[in-house]
Amino acid sequence: MVSFERRFSQSARGMRFSAIRRMSALIERPGIISFAPGQPSPETFPVEAFQEVVREIIARESASAFQYILTRGVGALVAAVGEYAAAKGMRATAAETILTEGSQQGLDLVSRVLIDPGDVVLVELPSYIGATAAFRAAQARMVGVRLLDDGLDMDDLRRRHREARDAGQAVKFLYVVPSFQNPSGITHSVEKRRALLALAAELDLLVVEDDPYGDLYFEAEPLPTLKSMDREGRVLYLSSFSKILAPGLRTAFLIGPEEVVAKVEIAKQSANLCGSGLDQRIILACLQRGLIEEQKARIRPYYRSKRDAMLGALQAEMPRGVRWTRPEGGLFVWVTLPEGVDAEALLMPAVEAGVAYVAGGPFYVDGTGANTMRLTFAKESAESIAEGVCRLAGVVQQGGSGGAQLPPLSSPSSGSSTQSR
């Protein structure tokens, strides 16, 4: 038999399976209530509108709808995305915009364009594992920055940057998800956003802003994007329509300095030449019809009710010593167990009890976070959320098979963005 280990590239040898994807077989078991996959609910997909739009596109464009398109994307959609971004206060010319097949591809392309092996990328603790996978594939050295209830710890950001530079390492950029972060649900306050941009200017640091959830706000008007506040051209902005319309339409976009976007376009040509012209034309039609804005207004209360159901169930069921975030939007609640309780060790007992989640350790690039877990409220009904949290609380109460039993329920205390028992 041929041995391949020595034939793999250094990059391939460092690749790891996603902590979420490897759970697929577990969460597909019958009877499992799953808080694991970060997927929007298919109940929100405007299927009838899609059917009408596709019929019109094919009737109007016939076979052309299925032809190759430009690498940068369908020109009319590139222009429409510029207008869409302008409504959020972001300047985006056609030269500063490129369409990608999901934000994940955008992250991969940014990594290929900006990162040399050994370069430092600063990320949040915890951080989105799809992004850290892309950075790892580019052989970056990731350094975590502490995430507080209202955003990044600026003192820690300054300290981590200084340590890397003092060690002679190139710090290429800071990666952040400022609104309703995956996995924590935490949002950067306006004050923290201003402070982040001021510190980035002081340190001459590029910022990669990932914003897939910013339109899924529940409590108040959306906060300004970092890109809209950027006056120096140091923010690269990624977003998509996956959480608003449907993730099967693989169309996202990247906005950034013209010279960076030009390099991303070249990198994209070696990856897949172009995206799906049909997908992009569907997105364009949805923008032109106002369907995307209608979707936003429709799905916000839908997901808010699920968020409320999960927070209520956690409040009612979790034992003392367990804390969780209170997200003001997005799809995720972040749970912190008492020190010494291993969320990974509780996973199989939880699955046996009929509930699944994602252990939080893989979201930390510094090896911490063993006592954390991510819960997604998007997929399940309110009734299933209540039952699933009840099952999970029972597992946590026991501390897993053979674990130490946690204290019983007690009066709760709560803070601005976290709640606890």
Side-chain angles (χ1 to χ4, degrees):
M1 296 291 291
V2 176
S3 173
F4 285 96
E5 183 60 29
R6 64 182 177 82
R7 302 170 194 266
F8 287 137
S9 67
Q10 184 177 346
S11 174
R13 288 195 294 270
M15 292 177 181
R16 305 174 189 172
F17 276 105
S18 164
I20 301 170
R21 297 291 176 179
R22 68 182 174 83
M23 291 183 59
S24 297
L26 292 177
I27 64 180
E28 289 174 1
R29 291 183 186 179
I32 294 287
I33 296 174
S34 180
F35 301 141
Q39 302 172 350
S41 170
E43 293 180 358
T44 67
F45 302 166
V47 176
E48 292 183 2
F50 288 157
Q51 291 173 333
E52 182 178 344
V53 164
V54 170
R55 282 195 296 267
E56 289 183 4
I57 290 171
I58 294 175
R60 181 177 65 249
E61 304 197 31
S62 188
S64 297
F66 302 94
Q67 186 55 278
Y68 286 121
I69 60 174
L70 295 175
T71 301
R72 194 169 288 244
V74 171
L77 181 55
V78 172
V81 164
E83 296 173 2
Y84 182 75
K88 299 173 183 283
M90 297 180 287
R91 175 182 178 274
T93 66
E96 296 168 321
T97 308
I98 187 168
L99 305 180
T100 61
E101 284 60 83
S103 288
Q104 185 64 39
Q105 185 186 58
L107 291 168
D108 177 71
L109 295 173
V110 166
S111 300
R112 291 165 58 191
V113 165
L114 295 181
I115 297 171
D116 286 317
D119 284 346
V120 168
V121 173
L122 300 169
V123 301
E124 298 159 307
L125 286 176
S127 189
Y128 170 52
I129 58 177
T132 57
F135 306 152
R136 184 176 293 110
Q139 301 181 58
R141 176 177 174 264
M142 285 169 286
V143 174
V145 179
R146 187 183 304 116
L147 190 62
L148 305 176
D149 286 349
D150 65 343
L152 279 179
D153 182 333
M154 294 300 149
D155 291 336
D156 197 41
L157 174 57
R158 183 188 298 276
R159 181 166 50 252
R160 300 304 178 188
H161 184 274
R162 183 179 63 247
E163 290 171 350
R165 295 300 296 269
D166 287 350
Q169 298 165 330
V171 182
K172 282 302 177 71
F173 57 83
L174 165 70
Y175 169 76
V176 290
V177 185
S179 295
F180 323 127
Q181 191 226 29
N182 178 1
S184 70
I186 287 173
T187 294
H188 288 56
S189 66
V190 173
E191 292 74 17
K192 275 292 174 73
R193 294 173 193 234
R194 291 195 186 104
L196 190 158
L197 288 172
L199 186 54
E202 177 187 334
L203 302 177
D204 192 22
L205 181 63
L206 291 180
V207 179
V208 175
E209 178 182 15
D210 197 357
D211 187 32
Y213 310 103
D215 289 309
L216 290 179
Y217 52 89
F218 306 149
E219 308 292 346
E221 290 302 303
L223 297 179
T225 65
L226 292 172
K227 183 64 177 174
S228 70
M229 302 168 71
D230 177 25
R231 298 294 177 265
E232 298 186 332
R234 67 176 61 255
V235 176
L236 279 67
Y237 178 86
L238 297 96
S239 189
S240 84
F241 302 99
S242 294
K243 306 302 186 294
I244 304 301
L245 287 174
L249 295 172
R250 303 306 298 151
T251 301
F253 57 93
L254 183 154
I255 297 170
E258 183 175 340
E259 56 267 42
V260 176
V261 172
K263 290 293 186 182
V264 168
E265 182 176 17
I266 295 171
K268 190 174 188 297
Q269 289 171 353
S270 68
N272 68 347
L273 293 181
C274 67
S276 165
L278 181 59
D279 282 7
Q280 292 188 19
R281 288 179 173 92
I282 293 171
I283 297 292
L284 176 61
C286 290
L287 281 169
Q288 292 171 335
R289 289 169 170 236
L291 180 61
I292 288 177
E293 297 306 316
E294 292 175 9
Q295 273 287 105
K296 292 176 185 178
R298 186 167 71 89
I299 65 179
R300 286 175 191 136
Y302 175 87
Y303 287 123
R304 177 174 180 166
S305 67
K306 289 174 177 282
R307 187 275 315 262
D308 291 346
M310 178 163 281
L311 293 179
L314 289 167
Q315 188 74 23
E317 302 291 346
M318 279 294 171
R320 188 171 67 244
V322 178
R323 296 180 292 114
W324 55 91
T325 55
R326 186 188 185 279
E328 297 179 350
L331 303 176
F332 307 103
V333 173
W334 188 246
V335 175
T336 302
L337 306 174
E339 289 294 332
V341 179
D342 188 342
E344 186 77 35
L346 296 185
L347 185 54
M348 284 311 301
V351 170
E352 290 167 3
V355 62
Y357 59 87
V358 178
F363 295 94
Y364 287 81
V365 299
D366 65 350
T368 62
N371 64 323
T372 62
M373 61 176 68
R374 190 191 76 176
L375 306 182
T376 308
F377 49 79
K379 173 179 175 288
E380 302 289 349
S381 67
E383 294 76 15
S384 293
I385 288 172
E387 174 60 26
V389 171
C390 181
R391 296 177 186 180
L392 180 58
V395 174
V396 172
Q397 176 77 34
Q398 294 300 320
S401 177
Q405 196 168 22
L406 294 180
L409 297 175
S410 63
S411 297
S413 62
S414 63
S416 61
S417 65
T418 60
Q419 293 179 297
S420 64
R421 272 204 177 273

